[in-house]
Amino acid sequence: MSESLSTPLDAIVSEPACALFPPLVAAPAELAPRPRTLADTGIPRRVLEMLLIKHLSQVTELDKLALSARLGLSGSLVEELLQGLKGEALLETRSDGRFERSLRFGLTQKGMMVAQYEWQRDGYLGPAPVSLDQYRALVMRQSARQDFVTAERFAAGMQDVLLTPAMINQLGPALNSGRAIFIYGHPGTGKTYVSRRLVRLFATGVLIPHALCIDEHVLPVFDPLVHKPLELGQGASLRLDEGADPRWQWCQRPEVMVGGELTTDMLDVSYDASLHAYRAPLQLKANNGLFLIDDLGRQKVAVDAILNRWIVPMEERIDYLTLASGKHFEVPFEQVLVFSTNLPPHELVDEAFLRRIGYKIPFLPIAPAQYRQLWQQQCQHHQLEWDEALLRHLLDDLHHAGAVPLLPCHPRDLVGLCRDQINFTQAPPRLTCELLDAVWRSYFVSTEEQGGKDHEG
């Protein structure tokens, strides 16, 4: 059994969690100010022009304000692009001639032909991309290693989770180390539950680019399933030439979780030939956040193939990627990488790889005092009455007699099943030994006929 908590985590915190978290290291506008010139974008002018043409090809016509919003560029830069394209007879001005603000732009026949060619070459449509150099610099500046997790912040962020002092003293420093974390233990000990909450211990938001430009290829990065936007606040400027660069999205630190469905293809840049578009690998989307590989050993691909993919990134903090064109490029590998498994580590990983992982943290069965605390919380949540005699029956006659370890998932699951039975039978909202015995038999699969013991179903 693991050691019990002497004090609940919420009792450690004397202030609200928000009061413990420091202000942003830098405002978004300071991290990524709007480019004032086309050179400031770091993107070849032709890439921006062709992206503008693709936007126009989707509608009959657009004005400069609408194009600025779609491209994430100020009006002066869009005007410069428009003038160049007009000089090539790729677009034309359409207006009733009364007001300059009524000027709208549409593609000429020549422009439509160029747009068709561009769609075949690159299917990206969205805000203008950022350069690879700008991305590298900003990822390093936003590294989680510069946003230290303190004991107070850990307690505030995990006050709804029961952890032993030993686990707290491992998980906290592990987050600050920037090194990979290997979590292992019985199913139901809370590995995934705790791992997914680690990213919320970091106080600062981060800027995520909508897309990267590699040579003349565009690689989308922002993924609404991964990246959760944050409000910029009342101080954010609404002027098109002020404030943060709209080519970046202000977000919570990302959290990417993948389990048995993981394949090595997900860890490399992929290309959709039907859409003529690239897809970013999972670890690129997880930069400046957390990447959790859950249920390690349950994937269809060999564990060695997955783990070998991380040897260089873990040591050099650089990931090497390749486009379908054969272009090689480097990106930072700045994330909290967490491996989680129900299997013994030495059955999955050799000693050489384990040495490369900074922290190996076991999740063990909990102590009776922790079990009791979780049981009480679940009964309160489901509005069910219980007494000490029932808990002694559960611990002594069911867990101990059946050699079933005390796992954090058991109070939640067993009380939930009891509530289901009570709702069905319309019995009084009180737990009894008879009800608990019936639920226990439903929850665990008996293998007595084969001479074994009860196992969790």
Side-chain angles (χ1 to χ4, degrees), residues 124 135 208-212 219-224 226-227 280 284-286:
Y124 174 76
Y135 176 71
I208 304 294
H210 285 277
L212 299 179
L219 175 63
V221 175
F222 178 81
D223 183 344
V226 172
H227 303 115
L284 183 59
K285 296 179 182 181

Side-chain angles (χ1 to χ4, degrees), residues 128-301:
V130 303
S131 73
L132 201 51
D133 287 341
Q134 291 172 342
Y135 176 71
R136 290 171 181 146
L138 195 49
V139 166
M140 298 307 297
R141 190 174 176 186
Q142 297 180 140
S143 172
R145 289 183 292 168
Q146 300 183 35
D147 184 15
F148 291 124
V149 174
T150 63
E152 292 78 13
R153 191 192 294 179
F154 194 103
M158 290 289 195
Q159 59 183 320
D160 57 340
V161 181
L162 285 176
L163 295 172
T164 67
M167 294 172 69
I168 294 172
N169 291 332
Q170 285 183 295
L171 284 169
L175 291 175
N176 292 332
S177 72
R179 303 182 68 182
I181 304 171
F182 196 98
I183 292 175
Y184 62 96
H186 292 283
T189 49
K191 298 184 299 298
T192 303
Y193 184 84
V194 171
S195 296
R196 296 198 64 178
R197 279 154 180 75
L198 294 177
V199 73
R200 70 182 183 181
L201 299 177
F202 297 103
T204 56
V206 292
L207 287 169
I208 304 294
H210 285 277
L212 299 179
C213 183
I214 300 103
D215 288 344
E216 294 190 355
H217 300 283
V218 178
L219 175 63
V221 175
F222 178 81
D223 183 344
L225 298 178
V226 172
H227 303 115
K228 310 303 179 186
L230 293 170
E231 294 292 333
L232 285 175
Q234 296 180 351
S237 173
L238 298 178
R239 290 175 56 88
L240 291 176
D241 58 349
E242 295 181 0
D245 187 344
R247 297 180 300 160
W248 302 80
Q249 179 70 55
W250 184 239
C251 298
Q252 300 174 14
R253 287 193 179 270
E255 172 200 339
V256 175
M257 181 181 117
V258 65
E261 73 277 15
L262 176 65
T263 64
T264 53
D265 292 342
M266 298 179 183
L267 307 177
D268 294 308
V269 177
S270 60
Y271 182 74
D272 189 326
S274 62
L275 298 176
H276 307 286
Y278 284 101
R279 291 194 181 97
L282 296 176
Q283 69 274 18
L284 183 59
K285 296 179 182 181
N287 257 342
N288 289 142
L290 179 140
F291 188 13
L292 169 61
I293 300 179
D294 202 19
D295 282 334
L296 185 66
R298 306 295 185 189
Q299 290 76 20
K300 295 180 181 179
V301 63

Side-chain angles (χ1 to χ4, degrees), residues 98-112:
R98 290 181 296 176
F99 302 103
E100 181 181 352
R101 68 177 57 183
S102 68
L103 287 176
R104 303 178 71 82
F105 303 89
L107 294 180
T108 62
Q109 187 65 33
K110 180 181 177 182
M112 288 298 299

Side-chain angles (χ1 to χ4, degrees), residues 400-412:
H400 180 72
V404 178
L406 303 179
L407 302 181
C409 65
H410 289 156
R412 178 199 64 202

